[in-house]
Amino acid sequence: MNAVWTLFRSNLRTKKVQNVLTTVLILLSTLLLATAMIVISNTQNLFSDMHSQTNGSHQMLMLENGLHDPKSVKQWWDVQQGVTASEMIPYRNLSGITHHGKEMNNIYMFMMDTPQLPITVDKLIGAQGNVGSAPEAGTIWIPTSLSYSNGIAVGDTVGFKTGKSTFELKVAAVVVDMPFGAPFTRNARIWMNTQDYKELLQPLQGKDKYMMGLRFDNYDTNTQYWERFEQQLRTPYLESKMEFESISSFYLIMNKVIGFVMIFLGAVMLLVALFTIGFTISDAILANYRTIGVLKSCGLSSFGIIGTYIAQYAFLSIIGIIPGLISSQFLSKVIVESSLSSLKTNRSELSVQGDFTAIIVGVSVLALVILCVLFYANKARSVQPVQAIRYGMSELDSNKSTRRLRWNGHHPVGFDRLPVTFVIGLRNLLKNVKGSILTLLLTVITSAVLVFGFVFLFSIHSIQQTAPSWGYDNSHIAVDVFNKAALSHTHFEEDMLSDPRIKNFGWIGEATGVIPSEPSERPGISDTPSMNVHLGVADGSYDDLGYTTLKGNNPRLANEIAIGVNVSKKLNKDVGDMITVYINGKKHSLLVTGIYQAIANMSYSARITADVFKEDHLDYSNAAICLINLHDSGLSDQVAKDINRKYKEALSAVTQKALLDSVYKEAVDLLIMPMSIMGLLFIVVTCIIIYITCRITIRKESKTYGIYKSLGLTSNRIRASLTQGIVALSVIGALLGIGVGVYVLPMLLENILSYYGILEVPLIMHWGGIMAAAFASIVSTGIGSWLSSRVIAKTSPRILVIE
């Protein structure tokens, strides 16, 4: 035991730099893995806790078109056991909002007639200001998602456009509003005083709409309730319905993406660290082969020698794991609070819990390190004392080495015909095959990670270029009509047709479609439940407006429909199948002509043409958005300003870039920090591992480099030769890593985004940035190699030769 302890202390004392860097590797691996696990678990837990605290709804019914009697719907759900129904709350829609004189684009508001609190379902939790029984006259409550993302604070005045006029109300409180308070949402419930609602909104054209939340004791049983409800109605439920999956999706999506990337990269980093530890142990055994033989001949058992390595790396692991776990608490808190800021209030911070999760990660990392050490250190058992003392290696390896030297001596093409600098670098790579393989793998991984991170961030930042692949249109300008009474469609269209700058335009509206329950064709499988889908309605050509499909085509005729990928999967429908859809209470049998992906509504949506309504002799009047394409996209800002100036009382024209930026700028801001941290960590890890492996090989070849120096080669020339060889190998690895980062890693991300309706992640290949990202891995490799060779410059040739 005393011998093991002595060797343990010797290894720590004589290999200080190598031990420190190994500890840093374990620390960084632990940091990434623990942070990812804490982020994922807390994201779900914080959402679930707030959802329970507010008695949040699992489904939100929006009765907008008068197809069902609100009182009858309310009465039926009120008497159901196991379901809690909220009040049936009246509301009106508005889409024009200003703050400090600046109009906020792409925000659609539900102006709510606030009932007396407390509300039974979806209770409002005060984040800022005082939440009483109801907003006072002249004031409103707004959700945290609207407040935090647009800088609206308590006491600010907000203006609302009704078309005919604009009215202003003062923000009295900011509230956590679960169904419409997720990050990135463009919908917001504005809670008004009842008297204000009656005076300001009810005189406007149109009728009140109604909203009601349902909370189930057991959400899994909701299908049974809906079957009975639709039997009572004697028809499918024909109005809008928002499911729990849609409510929760945007609370969870960002941290799921971040967590997935961090777990993947953390696991890769840990595997690289384990491989490096194994490489170091294998090299240490070979380098100390004769010493191990002497120790064995003196009576030290193989287990004692193995125990030395176990003690060393267990000690280093504990030193690295503890600060890694502590750091993960702070990093995960920053990520969670930034991505779930809409759940944060001034009265209570987000409570990030992760002690138990962190301990599990730490114990797992320690166990993996010990198993790795056992596996590689077990080679010490095969050391035979006599062979070790005589050859410094096994007799078999000694014979192989001798044959290799003889064979190289008779090789027809020798190193003497090549430049000295090239020969030294090449010889270093060929003689240390394991180290060269590790270097190649590491640069492949690092460049792949950096390239993938850059491509993903750049693609989200430049989403305008791939908008159709995310389910959006590809038009240049979107015109939102907020006052239909003040706009003559005929006059507006004549102006658009006469403007030489405009290439084409079309109208897009919305409707709710209900796909009724269908009996299953397979025995033992339950019937397909009825499904509410968001319908896009085009009065014009989808293709001209830039909408695309993954499969098939957009609808062109009245009997055609294109469906989202999640609708296709859930109903098992493909191009060429017929589908039954209730639209405004009318039953339609439509032919599926295409399947598309869309992040909006999680692809639980479909596209039809306005001709569907014209077939029933209906005047489709919900087309409130006109999409405009220009001959020159560079004129988008000017054309939008001209339209706004001419029709300022009826509509708002905004460029597509402004609309997309309003949604995805927040996503980019949330992704930049964790992705940058992970990229920086991999660069550091690459530098550390290359330093360790090169330092080991230099120590083994110290005598050779001493001979080179004694023959007249300068230290810098030797160091440059070694670095050039490593850099050349890393260039090959970086090129391979580009392929992995561009083609392989996005496939893993698609597995997560497929749940949200994206089967093929639309990526933009900016090759200048890709090459720069890959070059960063080459630079880190070169720096690690150059720094590791400082020992050559510091040591005299005589000492090197003697060693």
Side-chain angles (χ1 to χ4, degrees):
M1 187 64 187
N2 187 46
V4 173
W5 174 248
T6 302
L7 290 172
F8 165 70
R9 288 187 300 169
S10 175
N11 286 339
L12 293 179
R13 186 174 60 254
T14 58
K15 301 177 181 178
K16 293 177 183 178
V17 175
Q18 183 176 309
N19 290 332
V20 168
L21 297 181
T22 301
T23 303
V24 172
L25 279 179
I26 296 172
L27 185 154
L28 296 179
S29 302
T30 305
L31 172 62
L32 276 184
L33 288 172
T35 301
M37 296 301 294
I38 292 173
V39 166
I40 291 175
S41 62
N42 276 275
T43 299
Q44 184 66 54
N45 292 340
L46 289 171
F47 170 78
S48 300
D49 290 346
M50 184 60 77
H51 194 258
S52 299
Q53 183 181 344
T54 60
N55 208 37
S57 58
H58 291 116
Q59 293 174 334
M60 183 66 65
L61 312 187
M62 288 170 280
L63 286 76
E64 303 170 319
N65 300 313
L67 301 176
H68 300 294
D69 178 30
K71 291 183 179 178
S72 299
V73 172
K74 169 69 173 169
Q75 289 172 357
W76 191 91
W77 285 103
D78 276 343
V79 299
Q80 303 304 308
Q81 298 295 322
V83 184
T84 304
S86 74
E87 292 77 1
M88 187 67 76
I89 308 175
Y91 71 95
R92 295 288 185 98
N93 289 114
L94 289 180
S95 60
I97 179 172
T98 59
H99 178 235
H100 293 328
K102 181 181 178 182
E103 185 171 353
M104 291 180 283
N105 299 316
N106 203 21
I107 298 177
Y108 302 93
M109 294 158 292
F110 302 102
M111 310 300 292
M112 311 299 295
D113 180 5
T114 309
Q116 288 293 314
L117 269 59
I119 302 175
T120 55
V121 176
D122 292 322
K123 299 174 184 177
L124 301 176
I125 304 294
Q128 297 177 8
N130 295 319
V131 178
S133 59
E136 296 180 358
T139 68
I140 53 173
W141 300 340
I142 64 174
T144 51
S145 55
L146 178 64
S147 170
Y148 297 162
S149 60
N150 294 282
I152 304 175
V154 172
D156 289 354
T157 299
V158 180
F160 299 93
K161 293 183 178 180
T162 64
K164 295 181 180 179
S165 62
T166 299
F167 63 87
E168 294 185 340
L169 296 170
K170 185 178 181 181
V171 178
V174 177
V175 297
V176 176
D177 188 1
M178 290 300 291
F180 297 94
F184 323 121
T185 182
R186 308 318 298 167
N187 295 323
R189 291 202 287 191
I190 309 297
W191 299 89
M192 300 179 64
N193 175 270
T194 297
Q195 192 61 34
D196 289 338
Y197 180 86
K198 291 178 179 178
E199 293 177 359
L200 298 173
L201 293 179
Q202 284 191 333
L204 300 178
Q205 184 180 11
K207 298 180 180 180
D208 284 348
K209 303 174 182 180
Y210 295 88
M211 188 180 298
M212 183 179 75
L214 299 177
R215 181 177 177 85
F216 297 87
D217 293 347
N218 182 1
Y219 179 57
D220 293 336
T221 63
N222 79 87
T223 303
Q224 302 168 16
Y225 287 97
W226 278 97
E227 288 176 353
R228 296 202 303 270
F229 179 51
E230 292 182 340
Q231 288 174 3
Q232 173 72 21
L233 291 176
R234 297 181 181 178
T235 176
Y237 172 73
L238 302 173
E239 295 277 13
S240 299
K241 179 174 65 171
M242 186 165 63
E243 300 286 352
F244 179 69
E245 290 77 12
S246 297
I247 294 173
S248 63
S249 61
F250 285 104
Y251 284 101
L252 307 179
I253 182 173
M254 190 54 62
N255 282 349
K256 280 190 175 181
V257 171
I258 294 173
F260 158 76
V261 174
M262 293 185 80
I263 286 179
F264 174 76
L265 299 186
V268 170
M269 188 179 291
L270 181 59
L271 289 174
V272 171
L274 293 176
F275 189 84
T276 303
I277 291 172
F279 172 80
T280 304
I281 292 173
S282 298
D283 182 80
I285 291 173
L286 292 175
N288 299 296
Y289 208 90
R290 182 173 282 113
T291 303
I292 293 173
V294 172
L295 291 173
K296 278 194 168 186
S297 66
C298 293
L300 184 62
S301 66
S302 296
F303 181 77
I305 296 171
I306 294 172
T308 302
Y309 292 111
I310 292 176
Q312 176 187 349
Y313 286 100
F315 177 74
L316 297 178
S317 297
I318 292 172
I319 294 176
I321 288 171
I322 292 175
L325 297 181
I326 294 173
S327 302
S328 69
Q329 300 286 330
F330 294 101
L331 180 57
S332 58
K333 184 177 178 64
V334 171
I335 294 174
V336 170
E337 287 189 347
S338 63
S339 59
L340 292 180
S341 60
S342 58
L343 299 180
K344 185 178 179 181
T345 71
N346 285 349
R347 298 171 179 81
S348 62
E349 296 290 326
L350 294 178
S351 179
V352 179
Q353 304 294 330
D355 293 341
F356 182 70
T357 302
I359 291 172
I360 292 177
V361 172
V363 171
S364 300
V365 171
L366 179 60
L368 287 172
V369 170
I370 292 175
L371 288 174
C372 176
V373 173
L374 275 172
F375 178 79
Y376 284 97
N378 198 50
K379 295 179 180 179
R381 292 181 181 274
S382 62
V383 176
Q384 300 297 322
V386 175
Q387 294 180 10
I389 295 171
R390 180 177 181 181
Y391 302 111
M393 62 185 74
S394 68
E395 187 174 3
L396 179 62
D397 290 337
S398 177
N399 293 333
K400 287 181 179 179
S401 178
T402 302
R403 286 197 301 269
R404 193 183 303 121
L405 289 172
R406 291 172 180 169
W407 182 78
N408 284 340
H410 294 87
H411 200 277
V413 180
F415 283 161
D416 58 321
R417 302 188 182 185
L418 301 173
V420 174
T421 303
F422 177 81
V423 169
I424 294 175
L426 181 61
R427 180 183 181 278
N428 179 57
L429 297 178
L430 295 178
K431 192 168 184 181
N432 301 282
V433 177
K434 289 184 179 180
S436 300
I437 293 174
L438 178 60
T439 300
L440 181 65
L441 289 175
L442 188 60
T443 49
V444 169
I445 293 170
T446 303
S447 62
V449 168
L450 295 176
V451 166
F452 170 71
F454 168 78
V455 169
F456 185 59
L457 275 177
F458 184 78
S459 298
I460 298 296
H461 180 266
S462 307
I463 197 170
Q464 186 182 7
Q465 301 178 37
T466 57
S469 297
W470 292 92
Y472 300 107
D473 63 275
N474 198 31
S475 60
H476 298 135
I477 298 173
V479 176
D480 182 11
V481 180
F482 55 79
N483 184 5
K484 296 180 182 178
L487 180 72
S488 167
H489 273 235
T490 302
H491 181 63
F492 177 79
E493 290 180 356
E494 288 175 352
D495 280 350
M496 297 301 102
L497 290 171
S498 62
D499 192 331
R501 298 171 298 180
I502 294 177
K503 180 180 180 181
N504 57 53
F505 65 91
W507 294 92
I508 291 290
E510 297 179 349
T512 297
V514 179
I515 302 173
S517 175
E518 292 185 2
S520 174
E521 298 178 356
R522 299 180 181 179
I525 299 179
S526 58
D527 297 345
T528 303
S530 63
M531 180 192 303
N532 286 67
V533 296
H534 177 273
L535 291 178
V537 185
D539 192 356
S541 170
Y542 278 106
D543 296 328
D544 288 346
L545 299 178
Y547 288 95
T548 62
T549 58
L550 290 178
K551 190 176 182 181
N553 303 297
N554 284 307
R556 297 184 179 90
L557 305 176
N559 67 331
E560 295 179 345
I561 186 172
I563 58 177
V565 292
N566 278 338
V567 175
S568 173
K569 287 192 291 186
K570 192 167 184 178
L571 300 180
N572 195 28
K573 296 290 185 180
D574 205 342
V575 173
D577 292 340
M578 299 298 296
I579 191 170
T580 300
V581 184
Y582 283 86
I583 305 172
N584 278 354
K586 300 288 185 179
K587 183 178 180 181
H588 298 267
S589 292
L590 304 176
L591 175 68
V592 177
T593 60
I595 297 172
Y596 64 91
Q597 63 178 18
I599 191 71
N601 300 296
M602 297 173 63
S603 287
Y604 286 105
S605 58
R607 298 170 183 166
I608 59 174
T609 67
D611 293 337
V612 174
F613 294 87
K614 296 175 183 177
E615 269 197 345
D616 297 322
H617 306 289
L618 295 176
D619 179 20
Y620 180 66
S621 58
N622 287 334
I625 297 177
C626 180
L627 301 179
I628 300 173
N629 284 312
L630 307 178
H631 291 287
D632 181 4
S633 60
L635 300 174
S636 297
D637 289 329
Q638 185 59 48
V639 173
K641 289 179 182 177
D642 293 343
I643 295 175
N644 283 325
R645 184 170 56 251
K646 189 171 184 177
Y647 298 97
K648 61 182 179 180
E649 295 183 356
L651 53 78
S652 173
V654 185
T655 63
Q656 187 206 44
K657 184 179 185 304
L659 292 175
L660 291 174
D661 285 349
S662 67
V663 178
Y664 288 96
K665 184 179 181 298
E666 186 178 353
V668 172
D669 292 342
L670 289 176
L671 282 170
I672 283 178
M673 183 196 66
M675 297 292 280
S676 299
I677 289 175
M678 286 182 280
L680 181 61
L681 288 181
F682 260 86
I683 291 174
V684 171
V685 165
T686 300
C687 190
I688 290 173
I689 294 177
I690 296 302
Y691 182 95
I692 292 174
T693 54
C694 289
R695 185 73 176 263
I696 291 172
T697 57
I698 288 172
R699 189 181 69 246
K700 288 194 302 183
E701 297 292 319
S702 59
K703 184 181 296 184
T704 302
Y705 300 136
I707 294 172
Y708 290 164
K709 292 183 72 173
S710 67
L711 293 176
L713 287 177
T714 63
S715 298
N716 285 339
R717 190 174 181 185
I718 298 172
R719 295 177 68 189
S721 300
L722 298 177
T723 302
Q724 286 174 13
I726 295 295
V727 168
L729 187 62
S730 68
V731 169
I732 299 173
L735 294 175
L736 296 174
I738 289 175
V740 175
V742 169
Y743 300 108
V744 178
L745 294 186
M747 293 171 60
L748 300 177
L749 182 62
E750 287 170 355
N751 290 331
I752 289 181
L753 293 182
S754 63
Y755 173 79
Y756 296 94
I758 298 295
L759 296 184
E760 299 176 4
V761 179
L763 298 177
I764 301 173
M765 302 303 164
H766 186 284
W767 289 105
I770 289 173
M771 297 305 294
F775 182 72
S777 68
I778 299 173
V779 171
S780 65
T781 303
I783 292 174
S785 176
W786 178 260
L787 293 177
S788 68
S789 62
R790 285 186 302 174
V791 65
I792 297 176
K794 292 180 178 180
T795 311
S796 68
R798 182 177 179 183
I799 295 175
L800 287 172
V801 173
I802 292 174
E803 289 180 350

